[in-house]
Amino acid sequence: MAEVRYEGATRLYEGTEEPAVNALDLDIVDGELLVLVGPSGSGKSTALRMLAGLESVDQGGVYIGGRDVTLVPPKDRDIAMVFQNYALYPQMTVAANMGFALKQQGVPKEERVRQVREAARILDLEPYLDRKPKNLSGGQRQRVAMGRAIVRRPQVFLMDEPLSNLDAKLRVQTRTELADLQARLGVTTVYVTHDQVEAMTMGHRVAVLKDGFLQQVAAPKELYSRPANLFVAGFIGSPAMNLITVPVEDGVASLNDLSLPLPDDVRAEVNRRGLKEIVFGVRPEHLELGQEGTSGEVAVVEELGSEAYVHVRIAHGAETELIVVRVGGETSVTRGDFVNFGVTGANHYFDPDGDRLDAKPVPGAG
Amino acid sequence: MTDTQPDTAPDAGPDTRDEERAEERRHLERREKWIRRLPLLPALLFTIVITQVPFVFSLFYSLTDWKIIPPTPRTFIGFDNFTDLVDNQFFRDAAWVSVVMTASAVLLSLILGTGIALLLDRKFFGQGFVRTLLITPFLVMPVVAGLVWKNQVFSSQYGVINWLLNLVGIDNVEFVTRYPLWSIVIVLVWEWTPFMMLIILAGLQGQPTDVLEAARVDGATNRAIFFQITLPHLKPYLELGTLLGSIYLIQVFDQIEVITGGGPDSSNIPFFVFQRSIGGGWDFGAASAMSIVVVIASIVLANLGLRVLSGLLEGEDPA
Ligand SMILES: Nc1ncnc2c1ncn2[C@@H]1O[C@H](COP(=O)(O)OP(=O)(O)OP(=O)(O)O)[C@@H](O)[C@H]1O
Ligand SMILES: [Mg+2]
């Protein structure tokens, strides 16, 4: 077990202009489950593969347990990886798959069999030990891939979208099992996913990547309540945060009839930057239908049972904009109604260029 | 609306209805199958005529005593041609040459081909060009290959090898005379290595990269990856190479004719068949019997080869 550190780690693929991972600085503490999340092509897999040694680090370095492993080949890094398509050894049985790494280390056969059985017991794989991977279901293959990793007792687990080939229900179930297993084993884990719900539910901390740049690293709660920039604000949360450009005058932003007096630190920052417009952000649960506030026409009502999301079309300059408001499960609002809504708290203010405007520094951000 | 069809009578119970449907479905399936097969029929007949009819003729001739010089009437003699073969020292020599020649040429070209395929299975400048160059031996006509090797390489007067040996002060060696069988095997290996290489290369390029990466992360050395992951993956490709190689190489004729012109140390069964028939023996009965033996031996040998190979690659321990 060990801590992991990226230090200005950069990867530029041959024949490309922009680095796939750009000067990544990231500290992962011992025993932590850190999730790398971001849209497709943001460099998550690349960052993970740099740590595995499968991709070379063009600038900067990576450290595992304080040891500089930048130039160490994968086999000497003492890591275990779970691949998206599992990458099981097709000609070997489940048992041989799981025992492969131990065999490479020269672990005697009886010991190997014992450890494989132990891992198979944890993962409920005992009935399948003599099968070939092609005769297993997707979920079983996923568990074999996990088993292959835990048998090793490595310093670090690396997982690249290990659940993306499972159906929705199994994915949710496996997600909790995996987080539980990781907590029990206490092995430092770097987990890649493009699914922000997976990231938020599993990660001790979540690192958001975009175009190879680290946007923010924080605990899920903080990521949700204090997104460091526009991208994170829009990416984290489902449904997404309402983000709308509004004019500012004398320290007061206004959204149609709604006046939004800016907090002091935001006002100072707006003045310092000389902004005439800012991006106002508010999550659906911090809006409320009522008599006050600004009005609009209901475009869609998404009923989820316990709650509902009302999409309200409001005028915004010459155009219209959809604002999502969360309401309780039993709402009488229907499409075509005209409603008023107001803000109940937790507003976010961003520079149109992306930065968050409150003064409080975001801890842990690169 | 009158109920004329008793089998669709409304009072028929669900069981009979199901049976009727099943019957109907079977009928449709049969029809479907014939509709699909019918267009293939002419091709099938043609194939049977041109491949199996000559074989049947050979089979018939092999049971007769049929010599052309001096002309004698064809007489049916049962299996005498076959029993005679057992005592025929020349045939036994030829059979042994066939076995050694085929087995060693297949094995060596397979090993060499695999080695070269491994070297080629990575990106480098001029990859396509090098690959094309390496394939050319397979495209050369067997007779030409035989002539080139005999005169330009092995020859004691003009050969490259002897020229090199002379440079380091070693006397001329008449390779073809001293090692007739191995001279031929070398030429065969030279011709067949590219073929094996192509098959193995296809196998290597079909190997998923994430499996190899998983093995690297799991701590496997290159050697371990090759023997524990790549080789088992290549099994079907190696089998295919062995099968095709054996089938073709057991019938080698041109190279023998050109390089040594036959002789007890280097004629295989096909060459001996030629000698016993149109090559001077004119004994078509005996020659046909031998060709039948070759066909059977090919089948047996190919099967044996596959067995051995599968056995070698199956060796995987459970943990
Ligand atoms: N072998 C390669 N050669 C060139 N460019 C590559 C290579 N692999 C990835 N890239 C590029 O690097 C960028 C990051 O790729 P990466 O695979 O890390 O994305 P990702 O975040 O894992 O995306 P996804 O969620 O789709 O898996 C992409 O723009 C991709 O096109
Ligand atoms: Mg990826």
Side-chain angles (χ1 to χ4, degrees):
Chain A
M1 272 156 261
E3 73 275 3
V4 168
R5 188 151 47 96
Y6 287 89
E7 237 179 53
T10 300
R11 171 69 177 145
L12 181 67
Y13 284 111
E14 235 168 274
T16 57
E17 299 286 312
E18 295 295 321
V21 170
N22 210 331
L24 177 64
D25 283 312
L26 193 55
D27 268 302
I28 303 161
V29 298
D30 191 8
E32 182 175 19
L33 197 169
L34 180 112
V35 177
L36 283 176
V37 72
S40 189
S42 55
K44 309 177 295 285
S45 297
T46 307
L48 195 74
R49 292 167 57 81
M50 286 159 84
L51 188 56
L54 297 172
E55 241 24 284
S56 62
V57 179
D58 297 321
Q59 263 170 48
V62 287
Y63 299 79
I64 296 175
R67 181 167 74 119
D68 183 352
V69 294
T70 312
L71 300 175
V72 175
K75 71 180 176 64
D76 300 324
R77 291 193 184 198
D78 196 13
I79 45 167
M81 187 154 171
V82 179
F83 292 76
Q84 181 169 357
N85 297 316
Y86 314 137
L88 300 178
Y89 309 125
Q91 297 87 359
M92 295 184 200
T93 60
V94 168
N97 260 282
M98 289 168 66
F100 183 80
L102 298 177
K103 187 171 168 182
Q104 307 312 312
Q105 293 164 11
V107 175
K109 186 159 176 178
E110 306 81 63
E111 178 61 16
R112 239 156 52 201
V113 171
R114 203 186 59 71
Q115 293 190 23
V116 166
R117 289 219 162 274
E118 169 68 14
R121 196 182 54 72
I122 296 176
L123 293 163
D124 283 332
L125 281 172
E126 279 163 313
Y128 313 111
L129 283 177
D130 295 326
R131 291 218 201 146
K132 297 276 174 73
K134 69 165 186 293
N135 299 327
L136 297 175
S137 74
Q140 288 161 351
R141 279 180 214 173
Q142 200 280 333
R143 293 213 298 279
V144 176
M146 279 304 300
R148 196 168 62 176
I150 66 173
V151 165
R152 300 262 317 268
R153 304 184 181 286
Q155 298 211 48
V156 186
F157 284 142
L158 307 181
M159 308 194 186
D160 193 349
E161 313 212 12
L163 306 183
S164 61
N165 284 340
L166 303 182
D167 66 58
K169 193 164 174 208
L170 192 56
R171 186 154 64 220
V172 172
Q173 182 195 338
T174 312
R175 182 164 91 194
T176 34
E177 283 172 9
L178 220 156
D180 176 54
L181 184 64
Q182 192 272 340
R184 262 191 294 158
L185 299 173
V187 177
T188 314
T189 302
V190 184
Y191 186 103
V192 164
T193 179
H194 64 264
D195 178 353
Q196 51 109 359
V197 177
E198 210 168 287
M200 299 292 277
T201 50
M202 292 183 72
H204 300 170
R205 282 190 308 152
V206 177
V208 183
L209 282 176
K210 183 199 171 210
D211 297 339
F213 287 101
L214 182 62
Q215 305 291 314
Q216 184 174 9
V217 202
K221 216 167 158 184
E222 160 139 5
L223 210 58
Y224 190 77
S225 59
R226 281 189 62 81
N229 58 36
L230 262 179
F231 175 76
V232 178
F235 187 73
I236 299 291
S238 168
M241 183 189 281
N242 295 297
L243 292 165
I244 186 159
T245 310
V246 294
V248 194
E249 210 170 316
D250 295 334
V252 179
S254 46
L255 172 60
N256 297 351
D257 311 335
L258 219 57
S259 285
L260 304 160
L262 300 180
D264 293 342
D265 50 351
V266 176
R267 182 180 309 195
E269 190 64 20
V270 168
N271 289 338
R272 197 176 67 75
R273 298 188 184 211
L275 296 173
K276 293 273 170 285
E277 278 187 330
I278 61 171
V279 177
F280 165 63
V282 63
R283 295 207 181 269
E285 65 266 33
H286 297 133
L287 290 173
E288 198 177 46
L289 297 186
Q291 307 306 318
E292 317 266 293
T294 185
S295 68
E297 183 192 354
V298 174
V300 179
V301 179
E302 279 182 289
E303 287 279 8
L304 298 181
S306 61
E307 57 193 12
Y309 291 96
V310 181
H311 296 239
V312 183
R313 184 176 288 120
I314 60 164
H316 183 240
E319 294 161 33
T320 61
E321 191 90 40
L322 277 181
I323 298 283
V324 183
V325 181
R326 190 179 76 172
V327 297
E330 261 134 59
T331 177
S332 55
V333 177
T334 53
R335 183 184 148 83
D337 291 356
F338 279 86
V339 293
N340 284 341
F341 64 88
V343 178
T344 62
N347 298 345
H348 307 261
Y349 303 98
F350 302 95
D351 187 319
D353 285 346
D355 296 347
R356 187 180 181 85
L357 289 169
D358 5 9
K360 197 171 128 202
V362 181
Chain B
M1 293 301 144
T2 48
D3 204 357
T4 49
Q5 289 170 295
D7 50 16
T8 55
D11 59 342
D15 288 351
T16 46
R17 191 68 62 74
D18 277 354
E19 273 165 29
E20 279 161 24
R21 288 217 189 91
E23 177 57 36
E24 176 80 10
R25 198 175 305 128
R26 273 195 294 276
H27 178 71
L28 283 176
E29 271 167 17
R30 265 199 303 274
R31 250 184 70 152
E32 178 87 354
K33 270 184 192 154
W34 271 109
I35 290 174
R36 249 181 290 144
R37 279 180 203 150
L38 216 53
L40 284 176
L41 218 53
L44 189 66
L45 283 178
F46 182 72
T47 312
I48 290 176
V49 169
I50 65 162
T51 62
Q52 303 308 306
V53 170
F55 182 70
V56 172
F57 271 92
S58 295
L59 212 55
F60 169 68
Y61 294 149
S62 72
L63 303 175
T64 62
D65 181 19
W66 180 25
K67 295 196 183 65
I68 292 192
I69 297 175
T72 38
R74 189 159 64 209
T75 50
F76 188 80
I77 55 166
F79 286 97
D80 284 3
N81 281 327
F82 289 95
T83 43
D84 286 352
L85 285 181
V86 180
D87 298 326
N88 187 335
Q89 179 64 42
F90 294 113
F91 177 76
R92 278 190 312 210
D93 284 349
W96 180 241
V97 168
S98 274
V99 170
V100 174
M101 193 182 281
T102 310
S104 52
V106 167
L107 198 69
L108 290 174
S109 57
L110 207 52
I111 293 174
L112 270 177
T114 307
I116 297 175
L118 284 171
L119 291 179
L120 276 185
D121 184 33
R122 58 190 75 185
K123 283 209 160 57
F124 60 87
F125 180 74
Q127 193 177 23
F129 181 68
V130 171
R131 198 178 303 168
T132 313
L133 278 189
L134 284 170
I135 294 168
T136 40
F138 191 59
L139 307 177
V140 173
M141 271 190 295
V143 173
V144 177
L147 281 173
V148 168
W149 275 83
K150 181 186 186 184
N151 295 326
Q152 259 86 322
V153 183
F154 292 141
S155 159
S156 59
Q157 285 153 42
Y158 319 109
V160 176
I161 303 182
N162 275 310
W163 176 69
L164 287 173
L165 288 181
N166 286 346
L167 286 186
V168 294
I170 298 175
D171 271 351
N172 279 359
V173 183
E174 193 43 86
F175 287 101
V176 174
T177 331
R178 275 207 29 208
Y179 313 105
L181 178 58
W182 295 108
S183 300
I184 293 168
V185 167
I186 287 175
V187 179
L188 293 178
V189 169
W190 178 79
E191 280 194 75
W192 279 82
T193 297
F195 176 80
M196 301 300 187
M197 179 200 82
L198 278 183
I199 290 185
I200 301 299
L201 197 59
L204 286 174
Q205 296 186 339
Q207 195 172 23
T209 46
D210 60 352
V211 169
L212 296 176
E213 287 175 343
R216 280 167 67 201
V217 172
D218 269 349
T221 58
N222 286 337
R223 200 186 133 82
I225 291 177
F226 178 73
F227 283 106
Q228 294 175 41
I229 313 267
T230 305
L231 213 51
H233 164 81
L234 288 179
K235 186 174 128 183
Y237 300 89
L238 292 166
E239 285 173 353
L240 185 66
T242 309
L243 192 68
L244 295 178
S246 308
I247 292 172
Y248 278 90
L249 284 167
I250 206 170
Q251 307 171 13
V252 161
F253 176 83
D254 313 33
Q255 291 90 338
I256 300 175
E257 167 69 15
V258 170
I259 295 173
T260 64
D265 294 328
S266 66
S267 6
N268 58 1
I269 301 180
F271 194 86
F272 193 55
V273 169
F274 159 77
Q275 286 180 326
R276 296 307 305 140
S277 56
I278 50 174
W282 308 114
D283 183 351
F284 287 99
S288 297
M290 288 181 223
S291 2
I292 300 294
V293 170
V294 177
V295 171
I296 294 168
S298 301
I299 296 170
V300 172
L301 205 73
N303 268 310
L304 265 180
L306 287 186
R307 285 278 165 73
V308 171
L309 201 69
S310 304
L312 281 181
L313 296 176
E314 210 57 69
E316 166 201 308
D317 62 304

